[in-house]
Amino acid sequence: MTGVTVVPGPDGAPRCPWGLSTPDYLPYHDEEWGRPVHGDDALFERLCLEAFQSGLSWITILRRRDGFRRAFADFRITAVAAFTEADRERLLADEGIIRNRAKVDAALANARVLAGWEPGELDRVIWSHAPDPATRPAPRTFADVPAITPESTALAKDLKRRGIRFVGPTTAYALMQACGLVDDHLAECVARTRLPAPAAEGPAAPLGGPAA
């Protein structure tokens, strides 16, 4: 798919080809991916889900996001930080999520770290690594979309230094794409022309993103 440019959607409008690869992707591509996301709990959700996606396709996570939200108390940091060993065992037995021990443990550990941060600190840390849009020309094909960038490498290092686990440069860049720190919709994609609106914090806000 790296050399592919936009393709027409069911309404004839041009879109990134991944957004048409399954019906589940179309509304996600059009209304969620690349839109700015703010709020500590909302960004914690993205951190968790991008980590759970590691080694898997994003559609696997997207189709389970309601299950993840139920299992992780809508990703409220204070609630997840208070999870007990019984909660951990519940998560590892929950068929509605990805039952990966290392990823579950990382989500719980990260919540405990973040519970000690000041309100808004996670938002500030993540968004401090957003690149200047003027330095990023719109990609015309997926060959123009990187997997990692200096900014995603710096974000991953910053989060790791602060005690956050399971977020490498590739995961950090997927987070940046999904949360609107960068706009990697292709140049002629209809979603790129729509004005992004900041997402409210909470379970109804947009989620993660597919690897380019």
Side-chain angles (χ1 to χ4, degrees):
M1 188 182 287
T2 56
V4 177
T5 186
V6 292
V7 294
D11 58 358
R15 288 176 172 84
C16 303
W18 67 263
L20 300 170
S21 60
T22 172
D24 294 327
Y25 268 155
L26 184 58
Y28 173 73
H29 166 274
D30 284 4
E31 305 299 335
E32 299 190 24
W33 194 71
R35 299 293 189 259
V37 175
H38 288 283
D40 291 344
D41 288 350
L43 288 167
F44 171 59
E45 180 178 9
R46 278 48 169 200
L47 277 172
C48 290
L49 295 181
E50 294 296 350
F52 273 101
Q53 189 223 344
S54 179
L56 303 170
S57 65
W58 176 248
I59 195 64
T60 301
I61 304 301
L62 187 63
R63 288 171 175 165
R64 286 171 170 78
R65 64 179 177 177
D66 288 341
F68 272 107
R69 285 169 169 169
R70 287 191 297 269
F72 282 93
D74 286 332
F75 290 96
R76 297 189 306 277
I77 292 170
T78 54
V80 179
F83 276 12
T84 64
E85 181 61 26
D87 288 307
R88 177 176 178 271
E89 293 304 315
R90 169 181 59 80
L91 293 169
L92 292 173
D94 191 336
E95 295 182 355
I97 66 171
I98 303 301
R99 295 175 293 173
N100 180 288
R101 189 174 302 273
K103 294 175 181 180
V104 167
D105 286 346
L108 301 183
N110 289 344
R112 293 175 189 128
V113 169
L114 293 171
W117 290 20
E118 294 295 323
E121 187 172 355
L122 178 60
D123 193 304
R124 291 192 295 272
V125 168
I126 288 177
W127 277 90
S128 71
H129 292 278
D132 180 354
T135 66
R136 294 179 52 84
R140 302 203 66 83
T141 74
F142 274 109
D144 302 323
V145 178
I148 61 174
T149 64
E151 291 86 1
S152 75
T153 300
L155 173 57
K157 288 181 178 178
D158 194 3
L159 291 172
K160 182 178 180 180
R161 178 178 62 82
R162 296 168 184 267
I164 302 300
R165 295 163 47 181
F166 226 106
V167 183
T170 302
T171 297
Y173 191 66
L175 177 76
M176 293 171 73
Q177 291 175 304
C179 295
L181 280 75
V182 298
D183 185 355
D184 276 344
H185 284 286
L186 299 184
E188 297 176 2
C189 176
V190 66
R192 192 177 182 92
T193 66
R194 295 174 179 166
L195 292 177
E201 183 170 343
L207 290 180

